[in-house]
Amino acid sequence: MASPAALRTVIRTPAALRPLLLCAPRAAYHEQHNDQATPYGDAERTILSHALGHVSAYGFTQEAITLGAKDAGYLDVSRNLFPKGTFDLVMYHLVTQRLGLKDRIQFPDETMGVGRKVRSLVIERLRANADAGVVPKWQEALGVMSLAENIPASLRELGLLSDEMWYLAGDTSVDGSWYTKRASLSGIYAATEVFQTTDQSTEFKDTEQFLDRRLEELRVTGSAVGNTMQWMGFQGGALMNMLRSKGVRI
């Protein structure tokens, strides 16, 4: 049973984000972590991995998927294979980057604290977006993820990424604080990822500073969930207006 503090966290969290707090218990995630495997079959994995190579030019679009299929030797892309269209391509990037995070960064320094590890993990995950060349097109992905039918799966994946980061940082707690940690890190990561799409600084230094301010806010006031979600709400509205102005159907 969740503690009163955990329940207060759920209540204070915006209604749209509460599902990411109410997923499987943390203990179950720890038990299943070593058994994680990509949920994609060979054909899906081959096509979508090739399609990601076209995102920098064509964005998260059906055209990128079609070109990926041709690169992989498929003449046609079945709707049964990718029933959600471009959202399947977005999710492939999210899932594979989450599963690959443990291979991108290790912590040989045993004296490094959990907080510093979490910061490094967030930065490394954001760097993966840059390395994959999707940052210039990520606002399109956010627009796809914000569609009503895609929000539950998007939030679940965000929660799993938060779980993964806490796990890799060495936090194995399964008490009521899990709810607060999950919500806080999910909110901080999501807000920082949105900020990254507007960052014109060298090597995304402004994004790192934005992240540091959110982490400090959490450390000092514990208000990262509320304040970060308010910022995301404002940015989300601006993002939707921008996408519509470019003719993207949202």
Side-chain angles (χ1 to χ4, degrees):
M1 179 179 295
S3 68
L7 293 176
R8 285 196 296 272
T9 296
V10 173
I11 293 171
R12 288 197 302 266
T13 300
L17 295 171
R18 290 175 190 167
L20 68 83
L21 302 181
L22 302 174
C23 295
R26 183 67 177 274
Y29 183 84
H30 287 165
E31 293 166 359
Q32 298 170 8
H33 185 270
N34 291 331
D35 298 326
Q36 289 188 98
T38 176
Y40 299 96
D42 290 340
E44 295 170 292
R45 183 172 60 253
T46 302
I47 292 172
L48 292 176
S49 63
H50 280 86
L52 281 177
H54 293 284
V55 166
S56 60
Y58 297 96
F60 286 89
T61 61
Q62 186 61 44
E63 185 171 7
I65 297 176
T66 299
L67 290 172
K70 290 181 179 179
D71 290 347
Y74 294 86
L75 298 179
D76 188 28
V77 180
S78 170
R79 287 289 180 183
N80 293 329
L81 197 59
F82 305 116
K84 296 182 179 180
T86 55
F87 184 59
D88 284 322
L89 180 57
V90 173
M91 284 297 294
Y92 178 79
H93 174 75
L94 294 174
V95 171
T96 54
Q97 291 298 340
R98 168 173 56 84
L99 294 177
L101 186 58
K102 65 181 182 297
D103 298 319
R104 289 184 62 96
I105 186 170
Q106 289 80 39
F107 301 105
D109 182 0
E110 297 182 359
T111 65
M112 190 175 185
V114 170
R116 288 176 58 198
K117 289 179 180 178
V118 166
R119 179 187 184 278
S120 296
L121 286 160
V122 172
I123 290 174
E124 191 61 38
R125 175 59 189 83
L126 293 171
R127 188 173 291 132
N129 283 351
D131 291 347
V134 303
V135 174
K137 303 295 184 180
W138 196 244
Q139 289 185 347
E140 295 177 11
L142 293 172
V144 173
M145 292 161 66
S146 72
L147 296 176
E149 64 269 25
N150 297 334
I151 288 176
S154 299
L155 288 176
R156 180 178 183 277
E157 181 56 34
L158 177 60
L160 289 174
L161 177 61
S162 176
D163 289 343
E164 180 75 359
M165 289 180 176
W166 282 117
Y167 180 88
L168 294 177
D171 185 303
T172 58
S173 61
V174 294
D175 58 16
S177 67
W178 171 80
Y179 293 91
T180 303
K181 292 175 180 178
R182 191 180 217 249
S184 295
L185 184 53
S186 294
I188 288 171
Y189 177 82
T192 308
E193 188 175 59
V194 171
F195 185 90
Q196 184 188 37
T197 67
T198 66
D199 187 358
Q200 301 298 314
S201 64
T202 303
E203 297 183 349
F204 299 105
K205 292 299 182 183
D206 288 350
T207 296
E208 288 193 29
Q209 292 176 8
F210 177 89
L211 170 62
D212 288 338
R213 290 194 296 273
R214 301 289 77 75
L215 292 173
E216 179 64 11
E217 177 185 80
L218 175 62
R219 187 187 70 81
V220 174
T221 69
S223 62
V225 175
N227 290 350
T228 299
M229 292 311 166
Q230 289 175 9
W231 187 89
M232 284 184 63
F234 173 80
Q235 292 294 327
L239 173 62
M240 291 302 100
N241 291 334
M242 182 277 295
L243 290 172
R244 291 191 181 100
S245 72
K246 292 186 176 182
V248 178
R249 298 182 62 183
I250 301 297

